[in-house]
Amino acid sequence: MLSVVLTAVLPLAAQRESQVRLQPGQAGPVIPKEIYGQFAEHLGTCIYGGLWVGENSAIPNTAGYRNDVLQALKDLKVPVLRWPGGCFADEYHWMDGIGPRENRPRMVNNNWGGTVEDNSFGTHEFLNLCELLGCEPYVSMNVGSGTVQETAQWVEYMTAADGPMARLRKQNGREEPWKVKYIGVGNESWGCGGNMRAEYYADLYRRYQTYCRSYNGNRLFKIASGSGEYDLDWTETLMKQAADRMDGLSLHYYTVAGWSGSKGSATEFTDEDFYWTMGKCLDIENCIREHSAIMDRYDPKKRVALIVDEWGTWWDEEPGTVRGHLYQQNTMRDAFVAALSLNVFHKYTDRIKMANIAQVVNVLQSMILTKDDKMVLTPSYYVFQMYNVHQNATFLPVDVWCETRRVRAAMGKDGEQRTLPMLGATASRAQDGTVHISLANVDLKNADEVTVDLGGLDVKSVNGRILTAADISDRNTFEQPDAVKPADFKDARLHRGKLVVRMPPISIVTLELK
Ligand code: AHR
């Protein structure tokens, strides 16, 4: 047997064995690149200091956008960027953020620490950033405290070729309309976006979206504010009352210990905390299934997309940072949440067409952290980078046989448990025929010898990259920015038509098969 052959050549470290079966003949849908979307809110230092420093800053910048962050995001191939919130969106009045910056009114960011917002980053700054990054903008409209007129005019300002708002845009220096595909009609309308009942919001949604016009062939993709986690009634009501008027319905799911009290430290946690986190993160699959089942009843042809436009880890703020700014460090634990969540999204792209991790810089599970002129890329950034190859590739199902572990349940009552697989896997075929497999060994102590049955695929060469660390709390800091970063991976080899991969503990690997 293959495993017998291999144990002879591998060191005798504590090691498990897992099997993966690739099913190249059962190709699924294309994984939309928008699954790899990002989110930027006016919150803490996400915008100011993170993305934007202004043209007069001593920090090297291009038209006000910091160069280091800009380059890192270009390298990441960000497909879509959501803005301006979040909760902030439902208190944002877009006209405050256009015209000469010195004339823009200041406001208080009531949701996020009472910080003064000077509106120097507004519609032009956001949409020009998207053009620089080559990504689709996703703009969240203010339904909670805005008006229908304000919403309608914003769409006109951004996308119309002529008319009063288009003329105002031209006066402000932008001749051509921007291309804006995605608009969100409200955010968390059951909570910070207005504390509405589903029935009331469904009617408001119908009304607001009516006046969001598609100008000059710019077809809008309209996304209704959806449920937080398991609010299935919300989804039911929205689908029943407004499905025919929406292109997408959102879902927010955070890997968080709870909404009251401490959420736990981002950097100091036990092994049990880590395994609990993996279970909570994987519970998103169940959440997606339950919402999808409701959507299937009202929309069996799956015309309406499920848009997971907020997801990721949520820990206590770093000690010493501003309360309400949601600045948290990012360790290998977060990297696993990124990998396992993306694996789940890949499986459900018949319904999920976009996902936006919260958030891109300096907030929650960010890709990038900045401090003055310094920048670090987080372990989560590197997962997104290693997984980039799955963007717009055809999903290939995989079966996994691996050891499991009983962990505290994510949603269950105290004492309830769930089964956590110790190996995560996903695969896809790129347009040029290259097959990519990503594997995640969540075991903190044991290596895993993974045998991949290639399902008859004729593979001549294997290359790989690995993200690993000695300790699950390892992270990049401003003092040690390269503590965790991907490296070439050499421990995968072809053997009698199968692929044998030796994964160290705490490791995430992406393999390229040609
Ligand atoms: O991402 C932080 C906040 O989480 C968002 O503003 C809100 O939509 C959610 O509650």
Side-chain angles (χ1 to χ4, degrees):
M1 247 179 73
L2 186 63
S3 56
V4 177
V5 174
L6 287 166
T7 43
V9 293
L10 290 167
L12 293 172
Q15 178 170 287
R16 293 183 287 98
E17 290 180 3
S18 302
Q19 266 74 45
V20 171
R21 183 173 62 201
L22 183 68
Q23 306 213 39
Q26 309 278 313
V30 166
I31 298 165
K33 63 180 189 311
E34 288 80 6
I35 295 291
Y36 288 77
Q38 299 286 335
F39 172 32
E41 179 164 8
H42 288 242
L43 196 180
T45 51
C46 181
I47 303 289
Y48 301 108
L51 292 165
W52 173 260
V53 286
E55 293 94 332
N56 300 326
S57 172
I59 297 174
N61 67 84
T62 303
Y65 310 102
R66 48 186 301 163
N67 288 344
D68 49 2
V69 172
L70 205 55
Q71 191 55 51
L73 294 178
K74 281 183 187 167
D75 294 345
L76 202 56
K77 301 191 173 75
V78 175
V80 54
L81 185 59
R82 178 175 184 244
W83 173 84
C87 297
F88 179 81
D90 281 290
E91 279 195 80
Y92 182 60
H93 300 284
W94 68 272
M95 284 211 184
D96 293 346
I98 56 170
R101 293 212 186 92
E102 61 277 14
N103 297 342
R104 297 187 192 176
R106 291 155 75 85
M107 66 181 278
V108 173
N109 190 333
N110 294 311
N111 283 288
W112 305 119
T115 307
V116 172
E117 160 69 56
D118 69 4
N119 278 304
S120 54
F121 189 97
T123 301
H124 290 246
E125 289 76 14
F126 171 66
L127 295 176
N128 291 345
L129 171 63
C130 291
E131 285 187 343
L132 279 172
L133 294 176
C135 75
E136 296 276 357
Y138 170 11
V139 180
S140 285
M141 304 283 157
N142 179 348
V143 172
S145 69
T147 63
V148 177
Q149 182 183 16
E150 194 181 1
T151 300
Q153 287 181 327
W154 199 4
V155 174
E156 187 186 331
Y157 186 89
M158 293 186 288
T159 60
D162 204 356
M165 289 300 112
R167 284 196 286 280
L168 182 59
R169 182 192 68 232
K170 290 175 193 185
Q171 276 168 30
N172 287 331
R174 172 76 187 202
E175 187 64 26
E176 292 300 314
W178 290 278
K179 188 177 162 289
V180 178
K181 179 174 175 185
Y182 300 105
I183 56 161
V185 182
N187 168 74
E188 296 194 352
S189 302
W190 39 265
C192 64
N195 288 305
M196 300 177 208
R197 292 174 309 112
E199 292 76 9
Y200 179 69
Y201 169 71
D203 280 346
L204 274 193
Y205 172 79
R206 293 171 67 96
R207 179 171 173 227
Y208 272 68
Q209 66 79 33
T210 303
Y211 303 97
C212 295
R213 307 290 188 191
S214 289
Y215 295 98
N216 344 298
N218 175 61
R219 160 112 164 75
L220 291 175
F221 187 102
K222 300 172 184 177
I223 300 166
S225 168
S227 156
E229 290 200 343
Y230 280 95
D231 186 350
L232 302 175
D233 291 344
W234 186 275
T235 297
E236 177 93 36
T237 305
L238 264 290
M239 289 304 290
K240 193 193 289 179
Q241 298 190 0
D244 58 335
R245 318 228 163 213
M246 63 174 83
D247 299 297
L249 179 62
S250 71
L251 172 68
H252 290 181
Y253 184 95
Y254 282 100
T255 297
V256 60
W259 295 108
S260 56
S262 169
K263 297 174 174 59
S265 161
T267 53
E268 284 167 31
F269 50 89
T270 64
D271 290 0
E272 276 315 302
D273 292 337
F274 166 71
Y275 289 121
W276 175 85
T277 304
M278 296 301 98
K280 169 74 184 177
C281 141
L282 283 174
D283 205 47
I284 197 172
E285 178 161 10
N286 192 40
C287 190
I288 288 166
R289 275 204 197 126
E290 293 201 21
H291 287 285
S292 298
I294 296 169
M295 295 177 81
D296 286 351
R297 275 197 276 113
Y298 293 94
D299 175 35
K301 294 198 171 144
K302 299 185 193 287
R303 189 193 59 78
V304 180
L306 187 61
I307 305 288
V308 189
D309 60 14
E310 288 186 30
W311 68 275
T313 57
W314 194 321
W315 311 118
D316 288 342
E317 287 152 339
E318 276 299 291
T321 61
V322 179
R323 257 190 95 75
H325 280 193
L326 311 187
Y327 178 92
Q328 66 189 39
Q329 246 296 358
N330 194 296
T331 69
M332 271 303 284
R333 173 172 66 165
D334 299 271
F336 277 102
V337 171
L340 298 187
S341 303
L342 291 168
N343 291 357
V344 172
F345 299 152
H346 287 181
K347 280 170 71 178
Y348 294 93
T349 56
D350 58 334
R351 184 62 85 177
I352 302 177
K353 303 295 180 192
M354 191 203 296
N356 308 75
I357 190 166
Q359 300 190 5
V360 66
V361 192
N362 292 335
V363 171
L364 300 177
Q365 190 178 348
S366 41
M367 301 291 109
I368 296 170
L369 298 173
T370 65
K371 186 178 173 199
D372 306 324
D373 62 345
K374 298 196 181 71
M375 175 192 84
V376 297
L377 305 178
T378 65
S380 298
Y381 176 97
Y382 289 123
V383 169
F384 270 67
Q385 191 185 57
M386 285 167 59
Y387 268 59
N388 262 342
V389 289
H390 298 297
Q391 289 191 15
N392 281 349
T394 301
F395 176 71
L396 300 179
V398 289
D399 298 320
V400 177
W401 291 269
C402 66
E403 281 183 27
T404 57
R405 183 185 175 104
R406 301 294 289 163
V407 296
R408 253 184 310 130
M411 301 300 297
K413 299 185 192 76
D414 283 352
E416 246 181 64
Q417 295 205 314
R418 64 160 286 151
T419 302
L420 173 69
M422 301 306 277
L423 182 73
T426 193
S428 68
R429 184 189 285 116
Q431 279 158 17
D432 69 358
T434 308
V435 169
H436 295 99
I437 304 181
S438 295
L439 301 169
N441 180 15
V442 303
D443 196 316
L444 296 176
K445 303 275 185 290
N446 300 307
D448 192 355
E449 184 185 282
V450 185
T451 303
V452 185
D453 175 342
L454 295 167
L457 209 65
D458 182 22
V459 177
K460 302 268 185 306
S461 71
V462 186
N463 283 305
R465 301 277 287 162
I466 184 168
L467 188 69
T468 187
D471 192 278
I472 189 63
S473 67
D474 283 358
R475 55 195 173 270
N476 294 329
T477 62
F478 297 106
E479 294 70 38
Q480 280 191 292
D482 293 326
V484 181
K485 62 191 285 198
D488 286 345
F489 180 66
K490 302 286 180 208
D491 259 339
R493 59 195 179 83
L494 292 161
H495 184 82
R496 295 187 186 161
K498 293 193 175 177
L499 182 64
V500 181
V501 189
R502 189 169 187 279
M503 309 261 311
I506 317 178
S507 64
I508 300 167
V509 161
T510 291
L511 300 167
E512 177 194 81
L513 312 184
K514 287 197 184 214

